[in-house]
Amino acid sequence: MALAAGAVALPTIPNIARAQAYPTRPIRLAIPFPPGGAYDAVGRPWAEKMKSRLGTVVVENIGGASGSIGAAAVARVPTDGYTLLLGGTLTHINEALLKSRPLYDPVKDLDPIAGVAANVLCIAVHPTVPAQTLKELIAYAKANPGKLSYGHSGAGSIQHLTGELFKSLAGLSDIVHVPYRGTGPVIADLVSGQVPMGVPGVTGQVIEFHRTGKMRVLAVTGSTRLAAAPELPTAAELGFPGMIVTGSIGLAAPAGTPAGIIEQIAQATRTVVAEPPFKQMLIDAGIEPTLDSNPEKFRRSLAADVALWTPVVKALGLKID
């Protein structure tokens, strides 16, 4: 009996050693959007902070299809902990609710690790649009049917859903939506006047452009005003209580990644997000840090997001394939 037990136990020793040694090479973090948006504002500082805890993290922007292409790429890689996704609300609801032929199953193909932050959106216009308030924008749009269009980060994105929700609540069905490959290009074209209106995620760059007059933020979608920009009213306080929209941003790995690796990354993330400089950096950028997250908490948060958006998507009748 002792020999048999020893024979069974021996093969587990290398496995334990390998788990303890993780990581032994650089980790790849896929951000499923082009540079310049909220995901970059969260993911790149996180990767920098991981150097002292997990080693080198190489960030790769894989844009397209509202985050689906990058997320699908991560879902297909080996489950060894060396490729992670910066995903969240968007990468879940897009495939779960808006596609009849999803590229991946967000529940079965991705394992949540931890939430990092939550991001609100805003209704913003180019300075040439003669509207200083949300009420004035609605009046202008109704007086000039077909004249306005808005940019968003891709068909099926939170930005797209929020824009369509705003149109529905305000009775502005003829505003045309213009899909981009990410928030960065939306902001660039909004500032240049190529698109008169946008629904970007709030970042430090958006706040700065607002304050310097390069764009005009008329409302944010948080439940309360932003600590970083308390002058910006919420859509709820302006008469749209149904427009409280927050998107979670967090880490995921291919399904089947060892639980020990998942927890190691989650613990490192909890430590970093709780550090005052990192936390303040997010707050200053208009992004709310997610404290004390873990795989199960993040899983429940994503499930709640899908449940929240399901009736909205059905009511709007949106499908993107």
Side-chain angles (χ1 to χ4, degrees):
M1 289 294 291
L3 285 174
V8 172
L10 281 174
T12 66
I13 295 174
N15 292 335
I16 293 171
R18 280 198 296 271
Q20 290 174 338
Y22 172 87
T24 59
R25 64 178 191 269
I27 297 168
R28 173 183 173 230
L29 177 67
I31 297 180
F33 299 98
Y39 280 72
D40 250 28
V42 172
R44 290 184 180 274
W46 176 87
E48 183 65 27
K49 286 288 188 179
M50 285 300 114
K51 284 183 179 178
S52 61
R53 292 168 176 83
L54 297 176
T56 300
V57 177
V58 179
V59 175
E60 181 179 356
N61 293 89
I62 308 174
S66 298
S68 293
I69 291 176
V74 173
R76 292 191 290 264
V77 302
T79 58
D80 55 11
Y82 287 98
T83 300
L84 307 176
L85 173 71
L86 190 69
T89 302
L90 176 55
T91 52
H92 264 59
I93 65 168
N94 200 328
E95 303 302 305
L97 301 180
L98 293 162
K99 293 184 178 180
S100 55
R101 297 182 299 277
L103 297 181
Y104 60 93
D105 185 316
V107 176
K108 294 180 180 179
D109 295 339
L110 293 170
D111 284 344
I113 299 174
V116 180
N119 185 224
V120 301
L121 288 74
C122 66
I123 304 294
V125 296
H126 186 263
T128 56
V129 176
Q132 301 293 323
T133 66
L134 202 59
K135 183 177 179 180
E136 289 180 4
L137 175 65
I138 294 168
Y140 174 77
K142 289 182 176 179
N144 298 272
K147 191 169 183 178
L148 281 180
S149 60
Y150 77 92
H152 58 78
S153 60
S157 65
I158 290 287
Q159 296 179 19
H160 180 202
L161 292 177
T162 302
E164 294 304 300
L165 179 60
F166 171 65
K167 284 169 55 178
S168 176
L169 294 173
L172 301 173
S173 60
D174 59 351
I175 296 181
V176 178
H177 77 95
V178 181
Y180 286 77
R181 288 178 62 85
T183 301
V186 173
I187 293 171
D189 272 10
L190 183 56
V191 168
S192 69
Q194 294 298 310
V195 65
M197 176 181 164
V199 190
V202 176
T203 63
Q205 183 186 46
V206 167
I207 293 171
E208 180 64 19
F209 281 150
H210 168 77
R211 288 175 173 166
T212 56
K214 294 180 179 179
M215 73 167 66
R216 187 180 304 125
V217 175
L218 303 181
V220 297
T221 65
S223 58
T224 60
R225 294 196 180 200
L226 296 171
E231 72 273 19
L232 299 177
T234 67
E237 71 184 82
L238 296 178
F240 293 91
M243 274 194 66
I244 297 176
V245 178
T246 303
S248 64
I249 299 175
L251 298 157
T257 298
I261 291 176
I262 293 284
E263 182 50 42
Q264 186 176 343
I265 300 167
Q267 179 58 57
T269 299
R270 284 193 294 273
T271 301
V272 162
V273 176
E275 291 177 350
F278 189 88
K279 185 165 57 173
Q280 192 60 48
M281 179 272 299
L282 291 177
I283 292 171
D284 290 343
I287 300 171
E288 184 69 24
T290 301
L291 301 174
D292 197 30
S293 186
N294 60 40
E296 186 54 36
K297 285 182 179 179
F298 194 31
R299 187 186 303 278
R300 290 199 302 266
S301 171
L302 294 172
D305 288 339
V306 172
L308 175 69
W309 279 105
T310 297
V312 177
V313 169
K314 287 183 178 179
L316 295 173
L318 289 177
K319 283 290 180 183
I320 59 174
D321 63 358

